[in-house]
Amino acid sequence: MTSGRAMLAACLLVSGGWAGAQATVERGRAAYQSGAAACARCHGRHGEGRREGAVAAPALQRFAGQKADLDSLRLAVNDGLSAGRALHRLMPRYRFDAGALADLSAYLDVLGSEADADPGIGSDTLMIGVRLDASVVPAVQAGFARINAVGGIYGRRLVLQRDPGAAVFAILGWGRDLPPDTPSIAPGAGTGAAAFGLLPGSEAQARFMLDQALAAAPSGATLALSAAADTEPDTVRVLQARAVARGITLVPLAGSHARGNGAVAVLSLGDGAHLAGVAHKVAAVPIYALAMQAGSTVFVLAPDAARRLRLAAPAALSYPGAARPVQERLALGAVAILVEALKRSGRRLDRETFVHAIEQLRAFGVDGLPDMRFGPNRHVGAAGMLMVKVDPARRSYLPYTDVSEENGN
Ligand code: HEC
C-alpha cells in the first residue's frame, strides 16, 4: 500500500517536472527565435552563428549542456561581457530577469539538437501529411518510393502520413483546419503564409469569375449567385464586397425566379450537380461557373444552357500534351516541388528554410504543366486564369479570353 502510494507520488512529480521543463524550454524558444529579443536573427535558427557585416555573432552551441552556468549567460546577455571581455556593441544589452534567463538557458540546452527540430523530422525519416483526393494517393506513394529507393533526401526517407492527427513536417494538399505554420503544397493554393499551390485556390478562381461577370455587366445591374451548401461563407462575403465596390448588386438566386431575379447573369459555385440544377432553373441569361468544380457535367447540359455557359479555368489546365489525368499531374507536381525544396533546404531542415526554398523556385519545370514560378509574394506557381466556353460535340473547351495574371494569391 505504502510503496504503491509512494510510487504514484513519484510519478506525479516526474510528470509535473517534465511538463514544467517543457514549458520553460518553450518560453526560451519563443524568446530566442522571435519576440523582441530574437537572438536567432544574428545567432541563427539553430544557434550556428552568423556574420553580421564585419562582426561575427558566434555559435551558441557551447552553452548546450551548461544548465548551471547561468552566470556567464547573464553576463553576456545583460552586461555584454564574455570571459571579462566587453562584447561588440552589435550584441544588444538586454534586461532578462532570473526567470527569463533560466528559460533561455533551458532552451540553449536543446538548441540545434534533434529535440529542437520542427515536427515530423526524424534522423532517417520525414513525415509528410496528405490531403489529396484518394484517387491520386497511389501515384504520390509511388513518387515517394522512387525517392526512397535512391536513399531519400539527405538520408531521410519520405513517409506519407495519412493520419490527420500525426505530427508532420509539411502537407501535400490543404485544409482550413491546418495550423498556419504547417507548410502546404496543394493543387489549388490555400490561404496562409506557408500555403503554396500550383494553381489559384478556389476563392481566387471565384474572384476571377466574378470579375469577368462584372466586366460584362452594365453598372447598376444585378447579378445572382447560387452557392452550394459547402461553399465557404468567407468566399461569398468576399464576392459580395467586391461586387458592391463596383456598383453592382450580388443577390442570392431564389429558386422560384426562373430569370434569376432580373439579374443579367447568374454565378454558380458548386459541383457539376449544382450547376445542372442552376442551368435547369435559369433561362436566357449567361451562367458563370468554375471549370474545375463543375467537371465533365458541363458537356452534358442541354444545348441552350451549354451555349450560355462561361467557365473560369486556370490557364495551366489548357497546357497541351498531357498524358496523365489532371488531378494526378497536379499531385505529382506538388511532390516535385516538395522534393526540390527539400533538396535545396539541406540536411539541417526546418520549416522556415523550406518555405524560403519554395519561394526561390523560378521557372520550375513540372511534368504536363507549365513552368511554376514562386516568390515571397507569389505562392501560386501558375497563377493565370482564362474564360472558356464548352463545345459539347467535341467534349472540349474553347478559350474566349486571354490569360489574366492579375488574379494572384
Ligand atoms: C543584432 C545581433 C545580435 C542579437 C539580436 C543577439 N546577439 Fe548575441 N552576439 C552578437 C554578436 C555580434 C556577438 C559577438 C560580439 C563579440 O564577440 O564581441 C554576440 C555574442 C553573444 C554571446 C557571447 C558568446 C560567447 O561565446 O562568449 C552570447 C552568449 C550571446 N551573444 C547570446 C545572445 C542571446 C541569448 C541573444 C538573444 C537574447 C543574443 N545574443 C542576441 C549579436 C547579436
Side-chain angles (χ1 to χ4, degrees):
M1 248 341 238
T2 326
S3 78
R5 191 169 293 165
M7 284 249 310
L8 183 62
C11 287
L12 283 173
L13 249 179
V14 168
S15 63
W18 183 83
Q22 265 308 101
T24 182
V25 168
E26 285 312 318
R27 284 192 301 268
R29 186 199 310 276
Y32 182 91
Q33 298 291 354
S34 51
C39 324
R41 209 155 33 86
C42 299
H43 291 280
R45 163 73 180 78
H46 305 281
E48 68 275 21
R50 199 172 271 179
R51 282 209 83 77
E52 281 291 307
V55 190
L60 295 182
Q61 265 98 21
R62 79 175 181 88
F63 287 85
Q66 299 281 312
K67 275 198 181 88
D69 194 15
L70 273 178
D71 271 349
S72 71
L73 186 61
R74 179 178 51 74
L75 282 171
V77 168
N78 285 353
D79 305 322
L81 291 171
S82 174
R85 179 176 68 88
L87 293 169
H88 191 279
R89 60 192 154 67
L90 245 180
M91 166 68 193
R93 273 52 169 169
Y94 294 94
R95 287 279 165 273
F96 275 72
D97 64 21
L101 272 176
D103 293 342
L104 193 56
S105 164
Y107 179 62
L108 291 181
D109 226 38
V110 299
L111 178 63
S113 74
E114 220 157 77
D116 186 33
D118 280 330
I121 305 177
S123 56
D124 56 4
T125 54
L126 187 65
M127 297 293 171
I128 305 295
V130 62
R131 298 280 189 98
L132 296 169
D133 192 78
S135 67
V136 300
V137 170
V140 171
Q141 223 135 19
F144 278 21
R146 277 192 297 276
I147 303 288
N148 293 339
V150 293
I153 299 172
Y154 297 108
R156 292 192 186 97
R157 273 181 312 112
L158 299 181
V159 180
L160 196 64
Q161 183 55 263
R162 300 179 76 169
D163 171 2
V168 293
F169 175 72
I171 299 258
L172 294 173
W174 189 72
R176 216 156 261 280
D177 56 317
L178 280 189
D181 54 350
T182 304
S184 64
I185 309 171
T191 50
F196 294 86
L198 287 85
L199 307 177
S202 51
E203 187 178 302
Q205 293 194 21
R207 276 200 315 258
F208 173 81
M209 168 176 83
L210 174 73
D211 288 353
Q212 296 294 312
L214 291 174
S219 87
T222 299
L223 297 177
L225 173 68
S226 173
D230 60 356
T231 307
E232 288 294 338
D234 269 0
T235 302
V236 174
R237 273 194 289 275
V238 164
L239 297 187
Q240 246 141 10
R242 213 170 169 88
V244 167
R246 309 269 180 97
I248 293 204
T249 322
L250 187 61
V251 297
L253 175 68
S256 54
H257 289 233
R259 278 190 175 252
N261 291 338
V264 297
V266 176
L267 277 58
S268 166
L269 278 182
D271 62 9
H274 184 82
L275 174 63
V278 171
H280 186 71
K281 262 182 253 167
V282 176
V285 297
I287 302 169
Y288 288 79
L290 302 182
M292 278 182 81
Q293 267 190 338
S296 54
T297 302
V298 297
F299 302 122
V300 297
L301 295 177
D304 167 58
R307 263 194 302 278
R308 287 181 283 121
L309 203 53
R310 314 268 186 277
L311 294 171
L317 296 188
S318 59
Y319 194 71
R324 292 175 190 269
V326 64
Q327 289 306 336
E328 203 169 299
R329 273 184 276 153
L330 291 168
L332 290 177
V335 172
I337 292 165
L338 169 85
V339 167
E340 180 65 19
L342 286 174
K343 285 182 179 163
R344 293 184 182 205
S345 297
R347 163 82 190 169
R348 184 163 236 173
L349 183 62
D350 62 66
R351 285 172 165 177
E352 195 186 323
T353 311
F354 175 74
V355 164
H356 184 70
I358 301 178
E359 288 174 345
Q360 300 306 305
L361 295 178
R362 306 285 142 75
F364 179 66
V366 168
D367 233 11
L369 290 167
D371 285 356
M372 299 283 141
R373 178 161 63 88
F374 295 96
N377 296 312
R378 183 184 159 110
H379 280 198
V380 180
M385 294 282 298
L386 80 172
M387 296 300 289
V388 295
K389 292 188 179 190
V390 289
D391 178 351
R394 292 214 169 94
R395 288 182 69 87
S396 68
Y397 301 120
L398 303 169
Y400 79 94
T401 62
D402 289 336
V403 174
S404 161
E405 276 274 350
E406 276 163 68
N407 171 73
N409 196 0

PDB file of all heavy atoms in Angstrom, residues 336-355:
ATOM      1  N   ALA A 336       6.915  17.053 -56.766  1.00  0.00           N
ATOM      2  CA  ALA A 336       8.164  17.560 -57.364  1.00  0.00           C
ATOM      3  C   ALA A 336       8.626  18.839 -56.668  1.00  0.00           C
ATOM      4  O   ALA A 336       9.817  19.021 -56.397  1.00  0.00           O
ATOM      5  CB  ALA A 336       7.960  17.809 -58.862  1.00  0.00           C
ATOM      6  N   ILE A 337       7.686  19.715 -56.347  1.00  0.00           N
ATOM      7  CA  ILE A 337       8.027  20.968 -55.653  1.00  0.00           C
ATOM      8  C   ILE A 337       8.539  20.657 -54.249  1.00  0.00           C
ATOM      9  O   ILE A 337       9.550  21.197 -53.795  1.00  0.00           O
ATOM     10  CB  ILE A 337       6.792  21.902 -55.610  1.00  0.00           C
ATOM     11  CG1 ILE A 337       6.457  22.381 -57.027  1.00  0.00           C
ATOM     12  CG2 ILE A 337       7.037  23.089 -54.680  1.00  0.00           C
ATOM     13  CD1 ILE A 337       5.079  23.006 -57.157  1.00  0.00           C
ATOM     14  N   LEU A 338       7.846  19.740 -53.571  1.00  0.00           N
ATOM     15  CA  LEU A 338       8.274  19.315 -52.230  1.00  0.00           C
ATOM     16  C   LEU A 338       9.720  18.826 -52.252  1.00  0.00           C
ATOM     17  O   LEU A 338      10.560  19.262 -51.459  1.00  0.00           O
ATOM     18  CB  LEU A 338       7.341  18.188 -51.737  1.00  0.00           C
ATOM     19  CG  LEU A 338       7.789  17.449 -50.474  1.00  0.00           C
ATOM     20  CD1 LEU A 338       7.333  18.212 -49.235  1.00  0.00           C
ATOM     21  CD2 LEU A 338       7.241  16.022 -50.416  1.00  0.00           C
ATOM     22  N   VAL A 339      10.001  17.912 -53.181  1.00  0.00           N
ATOM     23  CA  VAL A 339      11.324  17.269 -53.224  1.00  0.00           C
ATOM     24  C   VAL A 339      12.411  18.301 -53.559  1.00  0.00           C
ATOM     25  O   VAL A 339      13.467  18.335 -52.924  1.00  0.00           O
ATOM     26  CB  VAL A 339      11.310  16.112 -54.251  1.00  0.00           C
ATOM     27  CG1 VAL A 339      12.722  15.638 -54.569  1.00  0.00           C
ATOM     28  CG2 VAL A 339      10.461  14.955 -53.709  1.00  0.00           C
ATOM     29  N   GLU A 340      12.128  19.160 -54.526  1.00  0.00           N
ATOM     30  CA  GLU A 340      13.126  20.166 -54.909  1.00  0.00           C
ATOM     31  C   GLU A 340      13.427  21.105 -53.736  1.00  0.00           C
ATOM     32  O   GLU A 340      14.576  21.410 -53.438  1.00  0.00           O
ATOM     33  CB  GLU A 340      12.626  20.967 -56.124  1.00  0.00           C
ATOM     34  CG  GLU A 340      13.576  22.046 -56.601  1.00  0.00           C
ATOM     35  CD  GLU A 340      14.897  21.504 -57.146  1.00  0.00           C
ATOM     36  OE1 GLU A 340      14.948  20.298 -57.480  1.00  0.00           O
ATOM     37  OE2 GLU A 340      15.868  22.278 -57.219  1.00  0.00           O
ATOM     38  N   ALA A 341      12.370  21.546 -53.049  1.00  0.00           N
ATOM     39  CA  ALA A 341      12.585  22.475 -51.928  1.00  0.00           C
ATOM     40  C   ALA A 341      13.310  21.778 -50.775  1.00  0.00           C
ATOM     41  O   ALA A 341      14.129  22.394 -50.100  1.00  0.00           O
ATOM     42  CB  ALA A 341      11.248  23.055 -51.462  1.00  0.00           C
ATOM     43  N   LEU A 342      13.047  20.485 -50.570  1.00  0.00           N
ATOM     44  CA  LEU A 342      13.763  19.752 -49.517  1.00  0.00           C
ATOM     45  C   LEU A 342      15.238  19.640 -49.863  1.00  0.00           C
ATOM     46  O   LEU A 342      16.103  19.805 -49.017  1.00  0.00           O
ATOM     47  CB  LEU A 342      13.162  18.350 -49.335  1.00  0.00           C
ATOM     48  CG  LEU A 342      11.806  18.275 -48.632  1.00  0.00           C
ATOM     49  CD1 LEU A 342      11.269  16.848 -48.641  1.00  0.00           C
ATOM     50  CD2 LEU A 342      11.897  18.791 -47.196  1.00  0.00           C
ATOM     51  N   LYS A 343      15.531  19.372 -51.142  1.00  0.00           N
ATOM     52  CA  LYS A 343      16.938  19.270 -51.566  1.00  0.00           C
ATOM     53  C   LYS A 343      17.647  20.597 -51.353  1.00  0.00           C
ATOM     54  O   LYS A 343      18.782  20.641 -50.901  1.00  0.00           O
ATOM     55  CB  LYS A 343      17.023  18.871 -53.039  1.00  0.00           C
ATOM     56  CG  LYS A 343      16.706  17.412 -53.289  1.00  0.00           C
ATOM     57  CD  LYS A 343      16.850  17.086 -54.766  1.00  0.00           C
ATOM     58  CE  LYS A 343      16.555  15.609 -55.026  1.00  0.00           C
ATOM     59  NZ  LYS A 343      16.303  15.375 -56.462  1.00  0.00           N
ATOM     60  N   ARG A 344      16.951  21.682 -51.678  1.00  0.00           N
ATOM     61  CA  ARG A 344      17.590  22.990 -51.533  1.00  0.00           C
ATOM     62  C   ARG A 344      17.730  23.401 -50.068  1.00  0.00           C
ATOM     63  O   ARG A 344      18.525  24.278 -49.750  1.00  0.00           O
ATOM     64  CB  ARG A 344      16.775  24.055 -52.277  1.00  0.00           C
ATOM     65  CG  ARG A 344      16.803  23.859 -53.789  1.00  0.00           C
ATOM     66  CD  ARG A 344      16.075  24.983 -54.474  1.00  0.00           C
ATOM     67  NE  ARG A 344      16.049  24.781 -55.914  1.00  0.00           N
ATOM     68  CZ  ARG A 344      15.917  25.762 -56.785  1.00  0.00           C
ATOM     69  NH1 ARG A 344      15.802  27.008 -56.359  1.00  0.00           N
ATOM     70  NH2 ARG A 344      15.887  25.507 -58.080  1.00  0.00           N
ATOM     71  N   SER A 345      16.924  22.811 -49.194  1.00  0.00           N
ATOM     72  CA  SER A 345      16.960  23.205 -47.778  1.00  0.00           C
ATOM     73  C   SER A 345      18.162  22.607 -47.050  1.00  0.00           C
ATOM     74  O   SER A 345      18.577  23.136 -46.026  1.00  0.00           O
ATOM     75  CB  SER A 345      15.682  22.764 -47.058  1.00  0.00           C
ATOM     76  OG  SER A 345      14.566  23.420 -47.608  1.00  0.00           O
ATOM     77  N   GLY A 346      18.669  21.486 -47.531  1.00  0.00           N
ATOM     78  CA  GLY A 346      19.820  20.875 -46.869  1.00  0.00           C
ATOM     79  C   GLY A 346      19.413  19.903 -45.774  1.00  0.00           C
ATOM     80  O   GLY A 346      18.239  19.769 -45.435  1.00  0.00           O
ATOM     81  N   ARG A 347      20.414  19.227 -45.220  1.00  0.00           N
ATOM     82  CA  ARG A 347      20.162  18.211 -44.189  1.00  0.00           C
ATOM     83  C   ARG A 347      19.578  18.848 -42.923  1.00  0.00           C
ATOM     84  O   ARG A 347      18.720  18.304 -42.258  1.00  0.00           O
ATOM     85  CB  ARG A 347      21.483  17.494 -43.875  1.00  0.00           C
ATOM     86  CG  ARG A 347      21.520  16.711 -42.579  1.00  0.00           C
ATOM     87  CD  ARG A 347      20.902  15.335 -42.702  1.00  0.00           C
ATOM     88  NE  ARG A 347      20.746  14.706 -41.378  1.00  0.00           N
ATOM     89  CZ  ARG A 347      20.060  13.601 -41.141  1.00  0.00           C
ATOM     90  NH1 ARG A 347      19.451  12.978 -42.124  1.00  0.00           N
ATOM     91  NH2 ARG A 347      19.964  13.124 -39.933  1.00  0.00           N
ATOM     92  N   ARG A 348      20.074  20.036 -42.624  1.00  0.00           N
ATOM     93  CA  ARG A 348      19.601  20.718 -41.422  1.00  0.00           C
ATOM     94  C   ARG A 348      18.297  21.439 -41.766  1.00  0.00           C
ATOM     95  O   ARG A 348      18.267  22.601 -42.130  1.00  0.00           O
ATOM     96  CB  ARG A 348      20.652  21.709 -40.987  1.00  0.00           C
ATOM     97  CG  ARG A 348      20.292  22.377 -39.716  1.00  0.00           C
ATOM     98  CD  ARG A 348      21.508  23.009 -39.145  1.00  0.00           C
ATOM     99  NE  ARG A 348      21.732  22.535 -37.812  1.00  0.00           N
ATOM    100  CZ  ARG A 348      22.815  22.823 -37.131  1.00  0.00           C
ATOM    101  NH1 ARG A 348      23.761  23.520 -37.664  1.00  0.00           N
ATOM    102  NH2 ARG A 348      22.932  22.394 -35.894  1.00  0.00           N
ATOM    103  N   LEU A 349      17.218  20.701 -41.638  1.00  0.00           N
ATOM    104  CA  LEU A 349      15.938  21.129 -42.183  1.00  0.00           C
ATOM    105  C   LEU A 349      15.094  21.860 -41.145  1.00  0.00           C
ATOM    106  O   LEU A 349      15.062  21.467 -39.985  1.00  0.00           O
ATOM    107  CB  LEU A 349      15.198  19.871 -42.654  1.00  0.00           C
ATOM    108  CG  LEU A 349      13.861  20.038 -43.337  1.00  0.00           C
ATOM    109  CD1 LEU A 349      14.002  20.839 -44.617  1.00  0.00           C
ATOM    110  CD2 LEU A 349      13.272  18.669 -43.633  1.00  0.00           C
ATOM    111  N   ASP A 350      14.448  22.929 -41.533  1.00  0.00           N
ATOM    112  CA  ASP A 350      13.378  23.496 -40.719  1.00  0.00           C
ATOM    113  C   ASP A 350      12.354  24.131 -41.644  1.00  0.00           C
ATOM    114  O   ASP A 350      12.621  24.348 -42.826  1.00  0.00           O
ATOM    115  CB  ASP A 350      13.919  24.489 -39.679  1.00  0.00           C
ATOM    116  CG  ASP A 350      14.601  25.669 -40.328  1.00  0.00           C
ATOM    117  OD1 ASP A 350      13.906  26.462 -41.007  1.00  0.00           O
ATOM    118  OD2 ASP A 350      15.825  25.797 -40.184  1.00  0.00           O
ATOM    119  N   ARG A 351      11.181  24.422 -41.112  1.00  0.00           N
ATOM    120  CA  ARG A 351      10.077  24.889 -41.946  1.00  0.00           C
ATOM    121  C   ARG A 351      10.367  26.230 -42.595  1.00  0.00           C
ATOM    122  O   ARG A 351      10.008  26.478 -43.742  1.00  0.00           O
ATOM    123  CB  ARG A 351       8.802  24.971 -41.101  1.00  0.00           C
ATOM    124  CG  ARG A 351       8.211  23.614 -40.815  1.00  0.00           C
ATOM    125  CD  ARG A 351       7.075  23.725 -39.837  1.00  0.00           C
ATOM    126  NE  ARG A 351       6.273  22.500 -39.825  1.00  0.00           N
ATOM    127  CZ  ARG A 351       5.249  22.324 -39.007  1.00  0.00           C
ATOM    128  NH1 ARG A 351       4.911  23.275 -38.154  1.00  0.00           N
ATOM    129  NH2 ARG A 351       4.561  21.203 -39.053  1.00  0.00           N
ATOM    130  N   GLU A 352      11.035  27.099 -41.846  1.00  0.00           N
ATOM    131  CA  GLU A 352      11.302  28.432 -42.374  1.00  0.00           C
ATOM    132  C   GLU A 352      12.202  28.356 -43.607  1.00  0.00           C
ATOM    133  O   GLU A 352      11.924  28.994 -44.636  1.00  0.00           O
ATOM    134  CB  GLU A 352      11.979  29.245 -41.265  1.00  0.00           C
ATOM    135  CG  GLU A 352      11.996  30.729 -41.523  1.00  0.00           C
ATOM    136  CD  GLU A 352      12.815  31.451 -40.448  1.00  0.00           C
ATOM    137  OE1 GLU A 352      12.753  31.032 -39.271  1.00  0.00           O
ATOM    138  OE2 GLU A 352      13.517  32.402 -40.811  1.00  0.00           O
ATOM    139  N   THR A 353      13.256  27.538 -43.512  1.00  0.00           N
ATOM    140  CA  THR A 353      14.163  27.354 -44.648  1.00  0.00           C
ATOM    141  C   THR A 353      13.412  26.738 -45.832  1.00  0.00           C
ATOM    142  O   THR A 353      13.619  27.120 -46.982  1.00  0.00           O
ATOM    143  CB  THR A 353      15.324  26.412 -44.246  1.00  0.00           C
ATOM    144  OG1 THR A 353      15.850  26.872 -43.006  1.00  0.00           O
ATOM    145  CG2 THR A 353      16.405  26.392 -45.289  1.00  0.00           C
ATOM    146  N   PHE A 354      12.554  25.781 -45.524  1.00  0.00           N
ATOM    147  CA  PHE A 354      11.797  25.074 -46.562  1.00  0.00           C
ATOM    148  C   PHE A 354      10.856  26.034 -47.313  1.00  0.00           C
ATOM    149  O   PHE A 354      10.810  26.056 -48.537  1.00  0.00           O
ATOM    150  CB  PHE A 354      11.021  23.935 -45.897  1.00  0.00           C
ATOM    151  CG  PHE A 354      10.098  23.184 -46.806  1.00  0.00           C
ATOM    152  CD1 PHE A 354      10.598  22.300 -47.745  1.00  0.00           C
ATOM    153  CD2 PHE A 354       8.721  23.365 -46.720  1.00  0.00           C
ATOM    154  CE1 PHE A 354       9.742  21.602 -48.594  1.00  0.00           C
ATOM    155  CE2 PHE A 354       7.858  22.667 -47.553  1.00  0.00           C
ATOM    156  CZ  PHE A 354       8.378  21.791 -48.492  1.00  0.00           C
ATOM    157  N   VAL A 355      10.113  26.842 -46.560  1.00  0.00           N
ATOM    158  CA  VAL A 355       9.205  27.820 -47.185  1.00  0.00           C
ATOM    159  C   VAL A 355      10.008  28.785 -48.063  1.00  0.00           C
ATOM    160  O   VAL A 355       9.628  29.095 -49.200  1.00  0.00           O
ATOM    161  CB  VAL A 355       8.415  28.595 -46.093  1.00  0.00           C
ATOM    162  CG1 VAL A 355       7.781  29.855 -46.645  1.00  0.00           C
ATOM    163  CG2 VAL A 355       7.348  27.687 -45.484  1.00  0.00           C
TER     164      VAL A 355
END
